[in-house]
């Protein structure tokens, strides 16, 4: 069979129906991350802490703070615990529940990476980037069930929001700030996002509109910190000073 004919058919498939190739790539990525996961991955300290906190939530003891960071030792937002809760509830507190959530979170990351790359570049780039994400050993840290898993997808969406603003769709400023606030529930590097987002808007043409939208967007950003602030007010914890030191 003519190799050129096959290449033309493949190119046509990528151009018109990229999802047909994306699905096998997704399956490969999930297989490499989760095959025999209950046997090859340990249930560590972080996972035990998460399971205990979720158990308390299911029993009606709601928490206002999330995991404590390894750097700085302050607490993230609690959203991750509440995302885990339905999985632990359905499985009757089976520790495998965190892996079930992690599989869903990884699928979300794959879809976000594929769709955003497709919109910014093209189908070919989207499939190539997704294939690298699926097979790279370095990027397979997402097999660990913890609050960091959703970071790649959220980071890509923040980047895409900034791209959309530069394309003239200024309402995406709100998305950038909302996602930056949500990021605070995933990793301590969220403290760097406000200056990064602000610096990213320096070369936008309509700076007045960016300023107006960002002032409202900052309110949407701050909302994510309300549970932690309430906890601080009730417990006089030292997280505020830990963040300052950090």
């Amino acid at each position: 069979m003519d190799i050129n004919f096959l290449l033309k058919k493949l190119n046509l498939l990528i151009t018109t129906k990229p999802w047909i190739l994306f699905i096998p790539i997704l399956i490969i990525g999930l297989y490499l991350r989760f095959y025999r996961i209950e046997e090859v991955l340990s249930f560590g300290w972080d996972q035990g802490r998460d399971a205990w906190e979720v158990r308390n939530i299911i029993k009606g003891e709601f928490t206002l703070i999330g995991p404590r960071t390894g750097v700085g030792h302050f607490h993230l937002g609690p959203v991750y615990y509440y995302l885990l809760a339905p999985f632990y509830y359905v499985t009757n507190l089976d520790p495998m529940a965190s892996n079930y959530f992690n599989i869903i979170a990884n699928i979300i990351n794959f879809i976000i990476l594929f769709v955003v790359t497709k919109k910014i570049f093209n189908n070919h780039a989207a499939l190539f980037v997704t294939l690298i994400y699926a097979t790279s050993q370095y990027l397979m840290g997402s097999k660990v069930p913890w609050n960091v898993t959703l970071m790649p997808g959220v980071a890509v969406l923040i980047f895409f929001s900034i791209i959309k603003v530069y394309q003239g769709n200024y309402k995406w400023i709100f998305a950038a700030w909302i996602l930056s606030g949500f990021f605070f529930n995933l990793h301590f590097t969220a403290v760097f996002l406000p200056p990064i987002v602000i610096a990213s808007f320096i070369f936008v043409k309509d700076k007045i509109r960016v300023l107006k939208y960002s002032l409202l967007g900052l309110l949407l950003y701050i909302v994510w910190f309300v549970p932690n602030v309430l906890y601080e007010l009730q417990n006089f914890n030292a997280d505020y000073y830990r963040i300052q030191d950090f």
Side-chain angles (χ1 to χ4, degrees):
M1 187 174 291
D2 188 358
I3 186 67
N4 290 326
F5 175 78
L6 290 176
L7 291 175
K8 287 180 180 178
K9 285 291 185 181
L10 178 61
N11 185 60
L12 179 64
L13 183 63
I14 294 174
T15 304
T16 58
K17 298 177 181 178
W19 290 96
I20 293 178
L21 295 175
F22 168 75
I23 292 174
I25 292 174
L26 172 62
I27 293 172
I28 291 170
L30 294 177
Y31 173 82
L32 292 175
R33 285 163 171 79
F34 298 111
Y35 176 64
R36 296 175 55 240
I37 193 68
E38 72 280 2
E39 299 175 21
V40 300
L41 191 68
S42 62
F43 192 78
W45 189 93
D46 287 348
Q47 291 70 45
R49 173 207 59 201
D50 297 343
W52 190 259
E53 291 292 342
V54 173
R55 173 260 186 195
N56 291 341
I57 291 173
I58 292 174
K59 289 185 176 294
E61 301 173 17
F62 301 108
T63 182
L64 293 173
I65 55 174
R68 194 180 72 172
T69 66
V71 178
H73 300 291
F74 54 87
H75 289 87
L76 301 174
V79 168
Y80 176 67
Y81 292 152
Y82 291 95
L83 292 176
L84 276 180
F87 294 86
Y88 272 92
Y89 179 80
V90 170
T91 60
N92 195 27
L93 301 180
D94 187 333
M96 270 297 292
S98 59
N99 286 316
Y100 299 144
F101 168 79
N102 206 36
I103 292 172
I104 300 300
N106 270 270
I107 292 174
I108 292 172
N109 283 341
F110 271 95
I111 293 174
I112 290 174
L113 186 63
F114 175 78
V115 172
V116 169
T117 308
K118 179 176 180 293
K119 287 184 176 295
I120 295 178
F121 298 103
N122 52 49
N123 294 349
H124 294 76
L127 290 170
F128 175 75
V129 168
T130 310
L131 181 62
I132 295 298
Y133 184 70
T135 57
S136 169
Q137 180 66 34
Y138 177 76
L139 297 173
M140 286 185 197
S142 57
K143 70 171 63 176
V144 178
W146 60 330
N147 47 285
V148 176
T149 301
L150 285 170
M151 274 183 63
V154 176
V156 168
L157 286 177
I158 293 173
F159 176 72
F160 183 63
S161 300
I162 295 170
I163 291 291
K164 294 299 288 186
V165 173
Y166 273 89
Q167 292 176 349
N169 196 336
Y170 290 92
K171 291 183 179 180
W172 278 85
I173 291 173
F174 300 135
W177 285 114
I178 291 171
L179 291 165
S180 296
F182 177 73
F183 203 96
F184 175 66
N185 294 271
L186 306 179
H187 201 256
F188 70 86
T189 50
V191 299
F192 298 117
L193 284 177
I196 289 173
V197 171
I198 292 171
S200 298
F201 290 147
I202 288 177
F203 299 104
V204 174
K205 291 181 180 179
D206 194 342
K207 293 181 175 58
I208 299 299
R209 186 183 295 185
V210 168
L211 178 61
K212 290 179 179 178
Y213 283 19
S214 289
L215 290 176
L216 180 57
L218 282 171
L219 295 177
L220 300 174
Y221 170 78
I222 293 171
V223 165
W224 293 99
F225 294 83
V226 170
N228 295 71
V229 172
L230 291 176
Y231 178 84
E232 291 289 314
L233 294 175
Q234 294 173 12
N235 296 273
F236 299 102
N237 198 274
D239 269 7
Y240 170 74
Y241 300 103
R242 292 191 185 110
I243 293 175
Q244 274 193 326
D245 291 340
F246 175 76

